[in-house]
Amino acid sequence: DSGVTQTPKHLITATGQRVTLRCSPRSGDLSVYWYQQSLDQGLQFLIQYYNGEERAKGNILERFSAQQFPDLHSELNLSSLELGDSALYFCASSVGGTGPYNEQFFGPGTRLTVL
Amino acid sequence: DQQVKQNSPSLSVQEGRISILNCDYTNSMFDYFLWYKKYPAEGPTFLISISSIKDKNEDGRFTVFLNKSAKHLSLHIVPSQPGDSAVYFCAAKGTQGGSEKLVFGKGTKLTVNP
């Protein structure tokens, strides 16, 4: 158990809909990262928040947005869903925001299925 | 543009033998490399890492080798155990444009047969 929690574990929805994925970081961690893992892709970095502020952006679509709240939990919002958005979405957390030794701890993921 | 490549999607070895997982990268900005292990229905867990100033890092049965000139790293598991069966992701970290990036490969599924 990494200490990072994600809800829900599974989500099934239809195209065009909007969903919210939630992540609670490890106690004491200030950074939250979101990743997408599609069937034939490695982990694709989406976005990072550090202490409530956006720190880094990766391959995140404009239809997707995220935020980190004062209690440090984070939400990833996915809207106008398409079939290709079906994937595993992982959240990770770390103590700091940058640095080579800033180890990330991953949650169990949310499996999103868009029908 | 796949900056971190794991060209073998799968690898099968016998228990007790050596497992060698390979990873290639293309971007010279990467200065820190990590291996993550992932079991089904779980998130990836950190396994071992290496800084670009080193060429080898060892932790028990796991050793990571880095060849900077070839932009290649490998993970050796000796001896391999059935519990090592998992998907292994190589990741590379670097700073570009003032922003830190962590890029993952697509993973190699390791099966260790008893």
Side-chain angles (χ1 to χ4, degrees):
Chain A
D1 184 0
S2 67
V4 178
T5 59
Q6 288 187 249
T7 55
K9 284 189 96 161
H10 303 276
L11 197 48
I12 301 174
T13 187
T15 54
Q17 295 298 304
R18 173 192 165 96
V19 297
T20 297
L21 313 183
R22 183 189 166 101
C23 169
S24 292
R26 290 188 324 155
S27 176
D29 284 0
L30 298 178
S31 269
V32 168
Y33 309 77
W34 286 97
Y35 292 87
Q36 179 193 58
Q37 185 185 17
S38 304
L39 204 58
D40 61 346
Q41 296 289 325
L43 287 158
Q44 301 283 327
F45 168 66
L46 296 179
I47 196 164
Q48 176 200 358
Y49 278 81
Y50 176 74
N51 205 20
E53 294 191 2
E54 184 182 301
R55 174 61 67 96
K57 223 168 185 175
N59 302 325
I60 188 165
L61 300 172
E62 284 192 15
R63 299 183 287 110
F64 296 179
S65 65
Q67 52 185 328
Q68 186 179 28
F69 295 87
D71 67 353
L72 300 177
H73 92 269
S74 178
E75 293 181 355
L76 179 67
N77 301 296
L78 314 176
S79 61
S80 303
L81 285 168
E82 301 174 359
L83 295 177
D85 297 327
S86 295
L88 261 173
Y89 290 84
F90 288 103
C91 167
S93 74
S94 66
V95 172
T98 60
Y101 307 103
N102 195 24
E103 182 183 339
Q104 295 182 24
F105 294 85
F106 283 78
T110 293
R111 181 171 291 282
L112 173 67
T113 303
V114 182
L115 302 175
Chain B
D1 177 25
Q2 196 74 20
Q3 296 187 60
V4 177
K5 299 178 186 177
Q6 293 178 257
N7 291 320
S8 298
S10 62
L11 175 67
S12 185
V13 300
Q14 281 300 120
E15 181 178 6
R17 306 294 290 265
I18 184 171
S19 295
I20 300 177
L21 297 98
N22 293 303
C23 178
D24 297 292
Y25 61 97
T26 58
N27 198 324
S28 299
M29 74 155 180
F30 295 132
D31 56 9
Y32 195 69
F33 304 90
L34 308 93
W35 285 94
Y36 283 81
K37 178 178 177 179
K38 185 182 178 304
Y39 291 116
E42 293 182 14
T45 55
F46 170 75
L47 189 58
I48 192 170
S49 63
I50 188 168
S51 165
S52 60
I53 62 173
K54 292 187 166 185
D55 54 19
K56 177 182 172 181
N57 188 25
E58 198 170 346
D59 183 3
R61 295 185 297 113
F62 302 90
T63 303
V64 55
F65 295 92
L66 175 63
N67 182 333
K68 276 187 69 177
S69 60
K71 293 192 174 67
H72 176 84
L73 63 154
S74 60
L75 174 68
H76 292 212
I77 307 174
V78 180
S80 302
Q81 299 173 354
D84 296 329
S85 297
V87 177
Y88 289 78
F89 289 98
C90 167
K93 184 181 283 193
T95 303
Q96 190 171 50
S99 180
E100 185 176 89
K101 297 188 182 303
L102 181 63
V103 181
F104 284 81
K106 292 187 179 182
T108 295
K109 183 177 181 180
L110 173 66
T111 303
V112 181
N113 301 303

